[in-house]
Amino acid sequence: MFQLRLSRLLAVFLAVPVLQSACVCGPGPNVGGYDDPSGKDPPRSLQGVKFIESEKGEPEVIGCADGQREGFADLTRHKRIAGCLATWEGTKSLRDKPTGKACGDDKGVCTSPADACSKGWHVCGYQGKHEDLKRHTTANACNKEAGPGKFVAAMSHGQTEDLCPPPPTAETVFPCMDSGICSEPVCCGDGCAFGKCRDAIWRGQTKISLGKAEGCGSVTSERNGGILCCYDGDGDPPRPPVATPRPTPRPRPPTPPPRPAPRRPALPRPAPRRPPCRRPAPLRPAPPTLPPARSTRRAPRRPPRPSTPPASRPAARTRPAAPPPRRPAPSNRAPRWAPLERACSQEHALRACAHGHVRYNMPDRAASFRPPVADERPAPDDSPSPRRPRTARAG
């Protein structure tokens, strides 16, 4: 019985230091770390880390003010949480209020770490509630899907600096301590590590940015420049309307130029041929040309006016109009004095045709006429012209 009690007492005394070491928040005994009061234990630097970036888009949808994520790059799987890389001067608290000035690794230096989150988003855990991070992601996604680097929340992973805190409840509020034991911020990403207290968000699975020199209230962008941004609303952020691309019209094939009509080779013009010489047809006498008929009738003389006064003068009778003089009817027989048309002799015509002076493919008329000889002109006609019998004048 005595030996049994002694063994129980030894077991209790041996278990006390083990429980005390388990309650200490931090990585455990290390040179220059939590067990060394003079050590600063700085966290790892982000220099040289190759982040996986998402596609660029609207900041309200991406979650980062510069429109591109460096953590949780898969937008379809992680719509409500984003990892945004930022730079600022000196040390800043992760709970500093945002100034509204957009910043990031693509937009310049930030005034406050909260400015790395876009409008409608906030730094995860800025109110000290562990439920904020639980509503936006899971432990598996935080530890394995965030990507290279470290992305911190605005809350320390311990409630106090001395005692190992109990598991958090809905009323638990985590502080944002500057440095020391349990002051490291909660972290997501491949660069984060487990401490001794792992129950701040997910029991036994909460990682931190290991290094008590930079707590939640005093961080630098060189070592803790990755910020966790959570969406303000309950659902997913609205997607911008996608513009339906217009169908590009098919290019029409170019119209071939019109083919020129084939030109026929110009044929040599034949030499002009002279018409064959023809014998002139026998000439026919031209119809006689009659001179205009000359009238030899004289106009009648008026009788002298009587000397009687007009009152005693008898009334004059009206004389009927004389008919126009008649022309003699033309005779069918040609007169004796008609000129005869004479043509060249046959021999003379053939010679003229051979030299090209005269062409004999003309009508039956002669090509040239000889003027009438003076002896062949008609003699003056002395026969009296027919006269009309005079009618007796009255009175």
Side-chain angles (χ1 to χ4, degrees), residues 112-125:
S112 171
D115 291 335
C117 301
S118 64
K119 185 179 180 181
W121 296 64
H122 62 274
V123 181
C124 300

Side-chain angles (χ1 to χ4, degrees), residues 87-102:
T87 57
W88 57 84
E89 296 179 358
T91 58
K92 301 287 183 180
S93 173
L94 292 174
R95 291 190 181 180
D96 288 346
K97 293 183 179 180
T99 61
K101 179 183 177 182

Side-chain angles (χ1 to χ4, degrees), residues 227-248:
I227 307 298
L228 283 176
C229 298
C230 294
Y231 182 60
D232 292 344
D234 295 332
D236 296 336
R239 290 280 180 178
V242 180
T244 305
R246 295 183 179 180
T248 55

Side-chain angles (χ1 to χ4, degrees), residues 24-26 34 157-158 160-162 177 179-184 212:
V24 176
C25 299
Y34 284 88
H157 71 283
T160 60
E161 295 182 3
D162 299 331
M177 297 179 284
S179 61
I181 300 173
C182 298
S183 65
E184 296 98 324
K212 71 178 187 302

Side-chain angles (χ1 to χ4, degrees), residues 22-57:
C23 292
V24 176
C25 299
N30 62 334
V31 178
Y34 284 88
D35 298 338
D36 187 2
S38 61
K40 295 184 178 180
D41 190 26
R44 292 180 181 179
S45 174
L46 296 178
Q47 299 294 328
V49 177
K50 294 182 179 180
F51 295 93
I52 299 177
E53 297 180 339
S54 69
E55 60 183 10
K56 290 187 177 182

Side-chain angles (χ1 to χ4, degrees), residues 14-224:
L14 292 175
V16 170
V18 175
L19 291 175
Q20 289 180 355
S21 62
C23 292
V24 176
C25 299
N30 62 334
V31 178
Y34 284 88
D35 298 338
D36 187 2
S38 61
K40 295 184 178 180
D41 190 26
R44 292 180 181 179
S45 174
L46 296 178
Q47 299 294 328
V49 177
K50 294 182 179 180
F51 295 93
I52 299 177
E53 297 180 339
S54 69
E55 60 183 10
K56 290 187 177 182
E58 296 293 331
E60 292 77 9
V61 178
I62 300 298
C64 300
D66 58 357
Q68 190 176 30
R69 294 182 183 181
E70 287 76 29
F72 296 98
D74 192 350
L75 300 177
T76 58
R77 291 179 56 84
H78 310 287
K79 300 179 181 179
R80 294 171 48 81
I81 189 170
C84 307
L85 190 63
T87 57
W88 57 84
E89 296 179 358
T91 58
K92 301 287 183 180
S93 173
L94 292 174
R95 291 190 181 180
D96 288 346
K97 293 183 179 180
T99 61
K101 179 183 177 182
C103 61
D105 63 330
D106 295 336
K107 280 199 172 184
V109 181
C110 296
T111 306
S112 171
D115 291 335
C117 301
S118 64
K119 185 179 180 181
W121 296 64
H122 62 274
V123 181
C124 300
Y126 77 105
Q127 293 179 346
K129 296 289 186 178
H130 69 286
E131 295 291 339
D132 187 16
L133 202 57
K134 276 187 176 181
R135 290 196 306 265
H136 290 84
T137 186
T138 61
N140 185 39
C142 178
N143 297 332
K144 298 181 180 181
E145 298 180 9
K150 296 184 297 182
F151 302 94
V152 295
M155 56 181 293
S156 297
H157 71 283
Q159 302 173 14
T160 60
E161 295 182 3
D162 299 331
L163 300 177
C164 186
T169 61
E171 291 78 16
T172 304
V173 177
F174 286 86
C176 186
M177 297 179 284
D178 293 343
S179 61
I181 300 173
C182 298
S183 65
E184 296 98 324
V186 177
C187 177
C188 291
D190 298 343
C192 304
F194 285 111
K196 288 187 176 180
C197 296
R198 306 179 182 181
D199 302 334
I201 308 297
W202 303 281
R203 182 167 296 185
Q205 298 181 358
T206 305
K207 287 186 176 182
I208 60 175
S209 177
L210 198 59
K212 71 178 187 302
E214 292 188 10
C216 171
S218 179
V219 293
T220 60
S221 60
E222 180 184 356
R223 301 181 183 276
N224 289 309

